[in-house]
Amino acid sequence: MIDYLRNKSVILLFVFSSVLLTLIFVVSINVDGGAASKYKYFKSIEIQPGDTLWSIAEEYMSDDYESVADYIKEVKFMNNIEDSRITTGNYLVVPYYSFQKH
């Protein structure tokens, strides 16, 4: 009888531990999976009169960049711009982030 109770206790302990570990695993997936993903996209824009790289950065930059200078550096690299001069009527490719998957 004691062996029977001991075996039953071990089985109950095993089942309880398994359920607890499964519950912890599921909750951790939901917590991590609950964070919305951001997607990086690129957009072609026409340079308007009065536009500067700084004003374009203010419009399209998100807090995914550490600074406006970092954003401008990426825009200049993507568009093969060596200095900061841009010309009205030309086009620039600018990066932006969105929570929506396009």
Side-chain angles (χ1 to χ4, degrees):
M1 183 70 173
I2 293 177
D3 286 338
Y4 172 76
L5 289 175
R6 186 177 304 150
N7 286 342
K8 194 169 184 174
S9 295
V10 168
I11 290 172
L12 283 173
L13 181 61
F14 176 75
V15 169
F16 177 75
S17 299
S18 298
V19 169
L20 184 61
L21 287 173
T22 303
L23 182 61
I24 290 171
F25 179 73
V26 168
V27 168
S28 70
I29 287 175
N30 286 338
V31 168
D32 292 339
S37 298
K38 276 190 172 179
Y39 301 94
K40 187 174 187 177
Y41 295 103
F42 302 91
K43 180 178 188 174
S44 178
I45 62 165
E46 183 176 4
I47 301 169
Q48 301 298 315
D51 279 349
T52 64
L53 290 175
W54 187 272
S55 67
I56 291 169
E58 287 178 334
E59 184 172 348
Y60 292 98
M61 185 182 108
S62 63
D63 57 358
D64 299 289
Y65 294 88
E66 290 190 29
S67 67
V68 174
D70 287 342
Y71 184 83
I72 291 173
K73 183 178 178 180
E74 183 174 352
V75 169
K76 288 170 67 173
F77 176 77
M78 289 173 27
N79 292 280
N80 198 27
I81 298 173
E82 292 184 17
D83 54 23
S84 294
R85 288 180 285 168
I86 55 176
T87 305
T88 300
N90 286 350
Y91 288 83
L92 285 178
V93 175
V94 295
Y96 69 97
Y97 285 85
S98 175
F99 287 107
Q100 295 177 344
K101 190 170 185 177
H102 296 273

